[in-house]
Amino acid sequence: MAHLVTLIPGDGIGPEVADATRRVLEVTGVEFRWDVQEAGAAVMDREGTPLPNRVLESIRHSRTALKGPITTPVGTGFRSVNVALRHELDLFASVRPSRTLPGVPTRHPPLDLVVVRENTEDLYAGIEFERGSEAAGRLRQELRRLGGYEVAEDAGVTVKPISVTGTRRIVTFAFDYALRNSRRRVTVGHKANIMKFSDGVFLRTAGAEATAYPDVEFEAVQVDELAMRLAWEPETLDVLLLPNLYGDILSDLCAGLVGGLGLAAGANLGWEYAVFEPVHGSAPDIAGRGVADPVAMVSSAAMMLRHLSERQAADAVEGAVAEVLIEGEHLTPDLGGAASTDEMSRALARAVRTERRAPGVPA
Ligand code: NAD
């Protein structure tokens, strides 16, 4: 039976890597019914919102989406579609693996890290007070009244909520993930010495929940020290469990450790829905030039195949990525090659080896 999947090509290089990914998926022999849904900057101009309801309805119906990156204006303009999707669909867990890939040189011994990031709370909860607004003025007064806090009159304010309930489910998710994937250790990153009432909740809840998993080692590290360890000896780390903001920053760092954003795949998971997307953004600097690396989105699609219980096809796609990287003949410029997105995706499709390969497609 064909899998119904919502496909959001996204902005910038999104449509380029989405087309490339479809080409690779099509030769796996797994059948898809794609519900293609536009979202993002161009849709904002046409429909007055970058995330129309039809997109959410499509995912609520299909339960699974493959998504390209979507541009978020910096400092002003519409709020992040990515953040809104995670909130609306309660996609509370972000999973971003960073594994050394064959043929891709790195500065460290072979790495196999996974960032598990809380996806709905923290400074990304969207509770913001604009500098100079009436609400910001009232908030300043309340803060003075409640705790004697003095906030500068010209300050904008972003609130950082971290709850026991929100933390508990991501901690359980991270430890279950560790057990299912034979991982030995979960390292939680925090700054609970400074932010006692937000990161403090994350750290204490993580410590309490960890006791239910005696077979997985639990380690707590301050996030600044964790950044140093990632640069210095990343091979000592395994699963990183992080609140939203630190997870966002450190997962890009981890991507850099194993070859860059062009290779880093990700999944946003909740109890009901799953949205698979590359870690990278819309890359306006290279959009439209046909040189974007398709591997991050193709590998996100491999994660999706596993989620859809298409294990053989997922192995075949990951095998194709490894083969093309080792062969080194069809690499995009970020990997030191001169191939276009199109050429690399054709090479990836040719390298897919599965018994269920689509009929008429030569191996
Ligand atoms: P970016 O990831 O788009 O680009 C950072 C650098 O990496 C650029 O030099 C870019 O050329 C390169 N790069 C990224 N993906 C690549 C690929 N597949 N192949 C080759 N090179 C690649 O980050 P940015 O420039 O900070 O963000 C651009 C826009 O994307 C912003 O509007 C941002 O908000 C948005 N964004 C969206 C998502 C998402 O949709 N999940 C994630 C991150 C950023």
Side-chain angles (χ1 to χ4, degrees), residues 11 13 17 67-74 80-83 86 96 248 252 260-263 268 277-287 291-297 332-335 341:
D11 294 318
I13 61 170
V17 292
K67 173 186 163 296
I70 291 181
T71 300
T72 309
V74 178
S80 165
V81 170
N82 308 306
V83 172
R86 293 166 196 161
R96 294 176 166 182
D248 193 10
D252 271 35
L261 282 171
L263 302 174
N268 299 294
E277 63 175 344
V279 173
H280 65 71
S282 53
D285 53 336
I286 56 167
V291 294
D293 187 337
V295 168
M297 185 127 174
T332 42
D334 59 306
L335 298 171
T341 309

Side-chain angles (χ1 to χ4, degrees), residues 39-356:
V43 174
M44 174 76 191
D45 297 337
R46 276 201 314 269
E47 301 183 40
T49 166
L51 181 61
N53 245 336
R54 58 175 169 72
V55 181
L56 292 167
E57 276 162 22
S58 169
I59 303 174
R60 287 197 179 105
H61 181 57
S62 66
R63 295 180 170 266
T64 309
L66 182 61
K67 173 186 163 296
I70 291 181
T71 300
T72 309
V74 178
T76 166
F78 63 80
R79 299 233 351 253
S80 165
V81 170
N82 308 306
V83 172
L85 261 179
R86 293 166 196 161
H87 276 267
E88 289 291 331
L89 301 171
D90 202 20
L91 303 168
F92 65 86
S94 161
V95 179
R96 294 176 166 182
S98 287
R99 195 174 304 131
T100 306
L101 289 162
V104 180
T106 64
R107 291 160 207 249
H108 295 283
L111 294 182
D112 185 5
L113 298 170
V114 181
V115 172
V116 175
R117 161 188 170 193
E118 201 290 322
N119 230 0
T120 60
E121 298 199 309
D122 195 352
L123 286 162
Y124 286 19
I127 308 171
E128 299 218 273
F129 295 84
E130 190 176 4
R131 172 178 67 90
S133 66
E134 196 210 323
R138 297 220 318 265
L139 179 72
R140 286 179 55 241
Q141 284 170 14
E142 262 318 275
L143 289 172
R144 191 178 301 128
R145 193 178 68 79
L146 285 173
Y149 302 112
E150 282 304 329
V151 174
E153 198 178 342
D154 55 357
V157 178
T158 302
V159 178
K160 174 168 170 147
I162 293 189
S163 68
V164 172
T165 327
T167 305
R168 206 175 263 150
R169 63 181 183 174
I170 192 70
V171 175
T172 307
F173 178 95
F175 276 91
D176 285 344
Y177 179 94
L179 277 181
R180 275 201 317 277
N181 293 280
S182 310
R183 300 268 174 175
R184 66 200 143 75
R185 190 192 306 142
V186 171
T187 302
V188 72
H190 67 91
K191 201 70 190 166
N193 52 330
I194 309 291
M195 285 165 279
K196 298 181 194 303
F197 302 142
S198 49
D199 282 21
V201 165
F202 199 86
L203 177 61
R204 270 192 306 280
T205 309
E209 296 297 313
T211 58
Y213 297 86
D215 296 334
V216 182
E217 198 186 321
F218 172 72
E219 177 188 33
V221 180
Q222 289 190 20
V223 73
D224 41 353
E225 186 190 333
L226 188 54
M228 195 279 291
R229 251 174 85 183
L230 278 167
W232 189 250
E233 45 178 17
E235 67 280 7
T236 64
L237 295 158
D238 190 350
V239 176
L240 305 184
L241 167 61
L242 298 162
N244 209 338
L245 174 67
Y246 308 147
D248 193 10
I249 296 169
L250 293 188
S251 55
D252 271 35
L253 195 161
C254 291
L257 292 173
V258 295
L261 282 171
L263 302 174
N268 299 294
L269 307 170
W271 300 128
E272 291 188 72
Y273 311 109
V275 176
F276 297 84
E277 63 175 344
V279 173
H280 65 71
S282 53
D285 53 336
I286 56 167
R289 290 177 29 208
V291 294
D293 187 337
V295 168
M297 185 127 174
V298 167
S299 301
S300 306
M303 291 176 82
M304 180 182 80
L305 285 168
R306 240 172 256 292
H307 172 81
L308 295 170
S309 301
E310 297 286 0
R311 204 167 54 86
Q312 198 192 14
D315 289 345
V317 169
E318 285 171 356
V321 168
E323 193 175 314
V324 169
L325 291 174
I326 292 171
E327 179 224 27
E329 294 288 311
H330 302 92
L331 303 181
T332 42
D334 59 306
L335 298 171
S340 64
T341 309
D342 202 53
E343 286 162 347
M344 189 165 181
S345 69
R346 282 179 199 282
L348 288 166
R350 281 196 301 275
V352 170
R353 317 243 175 272
T354 159
E355 284 158 24
R356 288 202 296 155

